Amino acid sequence: MADGHNKEIDALSGVETTGHEWDGLKELNNPLPRWWLYLFYATCVWAFAYWIIYPAWPLVSGYTRGVLGISQRADAIAAYEAGMAERAETGQALINASLDEIQSNPQLLEFAMASGQAAFGDNCAPCHGSGATGAVGYPNLQDDKWIWGGSIDDLHQTIRFGIRSGHDEARIGDMPAFGRDGILDKQQVDQVASYVATLAGIEPEAGVDVAAGETVFAENCAACHGDDGKGLQELGAPDLTAPNYLYGKSLEAIKAQVTNARNGVMPNWEGRLDPATVKSLAVYVHSLGGGQ
Ligand code: HEC
Ligand code: HEC
């Protein structure tokens, strides 16, 4: 590239060259097109106007704020606070509303369902499973079989106070450990287990006197599980004719329960979660399909 001394008039166009030359190609020194120039001035004006109106230049501490006082940070904080205020308002509305009112108010219902589902994932899924289908010892909350009742008020009470949780208002009702505590001997345990097997629809143990087991049941078990074995919700005694058993449907599982009686514990959530969330959980669990 040649330097700027070699300016000359281009023979073909009559325009002066800049003196730059690349492999024989020379650059003409044409003036900038007007439209380009005006556009350039316009962008300069725009830039100055922008600096005055909007936050623009960083300073040692802070920045120029612009005459309009625009701040995306302040906007975001305001939007967040408005959202929280609305949440608190809806939360308060949930606390004030009865469970029936929540279920018949589409806006409250939608809010309760969303917050109930989120709270379920955080607090209940570890025991009841993320799909609420339960596991051995942890009841399935999707089916329509309820140990303690499936109305929305029953569910609300179970979730608030828990089951054998130690809370003053917890649901209580312990099955005695018939085998461990020597209330029944081994033979009676085997007999009553085989009788329960007939209620459960599984094979009784070969060679065991089921009729004797029925008598043991009437004398020791019917008070809680009912004469027909269909259970009593007030006592949390499960229906022994149900399609699913909390602790599994097998002779071993039945014998284990009659011998040791597990008496599962479900924590109370009042005091751990706020009242609006506890209500939302009742609404959510009730909606899972088995609500009564
Ligand atoms: C530490 C484990 C654990 C956690 C966490 C837990 N549960 Fe439970 N839950 C249980 C057990 C165990 C039972 C069954 C108790 C029994 O034997 O009656 C139960 C029973 C229930 C029942 C009664 C079911 C019926 O058939 O009557 C409901 C409803 C319930 N849980 C809802 C919840 C909700 C909602 C949460 C979350 C806020 C939750 N549970 C968290 C262990 C748990
Ligand atoms: C004082 C009341 C009470 C008496 C009496 C009682 N049960 Fe229970 N039974 C319960 C309760 C409560 C549970 C649930 C325990 C739990 O959730 O851990 C239960 C659970 C069971 C289960 C497990 C059900 C399942 O879904 O897995 C079996 C089986 C059972 N009982 C059999 C018997 C037999 C047999 C007798 C008599 C020998 C008996 N029970 C006497 C209260 C009682």
Side-chain angles (χ1 to χ4, degrees), residues 164 173-175 178 220-221 224-225 236 238 245-247 257 263-264:
R164 307 179 186 97
D174 281 5
M175 170 155 159
F178 289 94
N220 296 277
C221 322
C224 292
H225 289 282
Y245 266 35
L246 182 56
Y247 296 111
Q257 174 69 9
N263 296 312

Side-chain angles (χ1 to χ4, degrees), residues 123-124 127-128 137-139 141 146-148 155 158-159 163-164 246 264-267 269 281 285:
N123 300 289
C124 323
C127 287
H128 291 283
Y138 302 103
L141 305 178
W146 297 99
I147 303 173
W148 298 96
L155 294 172
T158 301
I159 298 167
I163 301 162
R164 307 179 186 97
L246 182 56
V265 172
M266 145 94 173
W269 296 93
L281 280 163
V285 172

Side-chain angles (χ1 to χ4, degrees), residues 10-243:
D10 175 52
L12 199 65
S13 61
V15 176
E16 190 187 28
T17 69
T18 60
H20 301 155
E21 182 186 336
W22 295 269
D23 297 338
L25 290 174
K26 293 173 185 173
E27 186 184 18
L28 298 181
N29 191 9
N30 278 317
L32 290 165
R34 302 248 129 193
W35 66 262
W36 192 95
L37 210 56
Y38 289 141
L39 207 61
F40 177 69
Y41 293 146
T43 58
C44 292
V45 172
W46 176 269
F48 278 107
Y50 192 99
W51 295 342
I52 293 165
I53 293 171
Y54 289 98
W57 290 100
L59 304 174
V60 177
S61 66
Y63 54 92
T64 60
R65 283 169 198 269
V67 293
L68 288 188
I70 287 169
S71 163
Q72 289 183 335
R73 173 187 286 261
D75 289 353
I77 291 172
Y80 171 77
E81 278 169 359
M84 288 309 278
E86 198 188 315
R87 236 193 94 103
E89 208 174 285
T90 318
Q92 192 56 47
L94 274 190
I95 295 171
N96 295 340
S98 74
L99 290 161
D100 288 341
E101 280 162 5
I102 296 172
Q103 286 188 309
S104 57
N105 176 329
Q107 197 204 340
L108 284 182
L109 183 61
E110 192 189 334
F111 183 84
M113 286 293 292
S115 106
Q117 186 172 20
F120 192 90
D122 290 346
N123 300 289
C124 323
C127 287
H128 291 283
S130 51
T133 45
V136 173
Y138 302 103
N140 183 345
L141 305 178
Q142 290 269 14
D143 62 11
D144 56 2
K145 282 288 174 190
W146 297 99
I147 303 173
W148 298 96
S151 77
I152 188 148
D153 290 311
D154 290 336
L155 294 172
H156 190 220
Q157 185 178 345
T158 301
I159 298 167
R160 270 178 91 182
F161 303 124
I163 301 162
R164 307 179 186 97
S165 62
H167 190 285
D168 286 347
E169 293 181 64
R171 295 191 180 279
I172 44 171
D174 281 5
M175 170 155 159
F178 289 94
R180 194 179 62 210
D181 292 347
I183 305 165
L184 299 177
D185 61 27
K186 167 108 184 31
Q187 190 191 23
Q188 288 170 308
V189 170
D190 289 349
Q191 288 168 343
V192 79
S194 277
Y195 172 68
V196 171
T198 64
L199 298 176
I202 56 174
E203 277 297 302
E205 201 170 347
V208 167
D209 186 346
V210 176
E214 185 169 2
T215 309
V216 176
F217 189 89
E219 287 168 0
N220 296 277
C221 322
C224 292
H225 289 282
D227 293 336
D228 53 4
K230 285 191 182 295
L232 271 183
Q233 285 187 349
E234 304 85 85
L235 300 173
D239 180 355
L240 301 177
T241 68

